[in-house]
């Protein structure tokens, strides 16, 4: 499952790889953008899966950014009462945030992420080569969540980010790898202690209360990372 942007860039290629190995796979896509993070999109994906005859032994691969991960993950949580899901995030934001932790949800006119579930992926595959095709504004978008993780849990990691910020914006592979790895470790560690957000996991919402309100009020014209950065300031 992917969106219209990633379908052309990577989706068709991945499908051909599966077919070359005689694996039964189909490519399902929807229009790119936050507006697709809806119950309507979820229903369309589910209907296509039903038309294709997917059963309980199927596995959804979410290839894309946070919107794809949330929609595909939510479908996986409810299709046939729950099937396996693998995340292949293609943006920095998805790599360090939405693909880690098992929260899957869609937006409504009332609020962001208000309808959803907890559904842990079987695997998260992170390849920093995806980041080479992203504009710098998307790097900034994801970096807000990386900085958030450092602020709530690891001051040494925060100093590392301060010291190496130029290398990150130069897409230095080793620096990006270290930053992503540590960010994922922090979030995964907190989630492991409190999967259903009854206690310590609430720390991960730092900057999000105000940030989500800003996103919603601007009809998602401001990116998630930029809204969260404002919420933390």
């Amino acid at each position: 499952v992917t969106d219209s942007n990633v379908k052309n860039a990577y989706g068709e290629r991945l499908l051909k790889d599966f077919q070359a190995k005689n694996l039964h796979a189909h490519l399902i896509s929807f229009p790119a953008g936050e507006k697709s993070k809806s119950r309507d999109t979820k229903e369309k994906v589910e209907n296509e899966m039903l038309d294709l005859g997917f059963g309980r032994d199927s596995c959804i691969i979410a290839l894309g950014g946070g919107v794809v991960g949330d929609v595909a993950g939510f479908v996986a949580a409810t299709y046939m009462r729950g099937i396996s899901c693998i995340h292949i995030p293609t943006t920095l934001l998805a790599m360090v945030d939405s693909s880690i932790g098992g929260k899957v949800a869609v937006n409504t006119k009332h609020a962001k992420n208000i309808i959803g579930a907890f559904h842990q992926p079987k695997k998260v595959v992170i390849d920093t080569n995806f980041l080479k095709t992203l504009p710098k504004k998307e790097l900034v978008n994801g970096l807000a969540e990386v900085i958030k993780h450092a602020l709530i849990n690891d001051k040494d990691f925060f100093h590392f980010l301060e010291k190496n910020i130029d290398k990150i914006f130069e897409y230095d592979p080793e620096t990006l790898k270290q930053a992503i790895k540590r960010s994922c470790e922090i979030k995964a560690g907190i989630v492991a202690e409190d999967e259903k957000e009854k206690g310590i996991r609430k720390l991960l919402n730092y900057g999000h209360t105000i940030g989500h309100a800003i996103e919603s009020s601007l009809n998602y014209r401001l990116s998630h990372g930029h809204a969260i950065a404002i919420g933390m300031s």
Side-chain angles (χ1 to χ4, degrees), residues 79-142:
Y79 189 82
M80 299 288 177
R81 297 188 177 88
I83 61 174
S84 297
C85 181
I86 294 172
H87 287 293
I88 306 179
T90 58
T91 66
L92 180 58
L93 181 62
M95 289 175 184
V96 301
D97 186 38
S98 57
S99 67
I100 309 294
K103 274 188 177 182
V104 290
V106 294
N107 304 333
T108 73
K109 65 179 182 180
H110 300 285
K112 182 180 171 76
N113 295 329
I114 200 69
I115 305 293
F118 291 93
H119 189 67
Q120 295 293 344
K122 293 295 183 182
K123 188 179 289 290
V124 178
V125 181
I126 294 176
D127 186 346
T128 57
N129 284 317
F130 284 123
L131 303 180
K132 295 177 182 178
T133 61
L134 291 181
K136 189 162 290 186
K137 67 177 182 179
E138 283 300 322
L139 208 60
V140 173
N141 191 28

Side-chain angles (χ1 to χ4, degrees), residues 1 28 39-54 60 71 74-80:
V1 176
I28 299 173
R39 283 176 283 185
D40 285 342
T41 302
K42 179 176 182 284
E43 182 181 10
K44 289 175 183 176
V45 173
E46 290 165 342
N47 285 342
E48 192 163 346
M49 290 177 63
L50 289 167
D51 289 341
L52 291 167
F54 283 111
I60 289 179
V71 172
F74 192 16
V75 171
T78 59
Y79 189 82
M80 299 288 177

Side-chain angles (χ1 to χ4, degrees), residues 181-207:
K181 182 175 183 290
R182 183 59 189 137
S183 189
C184 289
E185 287 173 346
I186 291 170
K187 181 165 185 179
I190 291 173
V191 171
E193 286 188 52
D194 177 24
E195 181 185 9
K196 300 296 177 65
E197 200 176 70
K198 295 179 179 178
I200 194 173
R201 183 167 179 166
K202 293 177 182 178
L203 282 172
L204 295 172
N205 292 330
Y206 176 45

Side-chain angles (χ1 to χ4, degrees), residues 132-161:
K132 295 177 182 178
T133 61
L134 291 181
K136 189 162 290 186
K137 67 177 182 179
E138 283 300 322
L139 208 60
V140 173
N141 191 28
L143 195 58
E145 290 285 358
V146 176
I147 292 170
K148 180 202 75 178
H149 291 149
L151 285 170
I152 65 175
N153 188 267
D154 189 342
K155 68 178 182 179
D156 290 336
F157 181 40
F158 182 79
H159 293 318
F160 168 84
L161 295 173

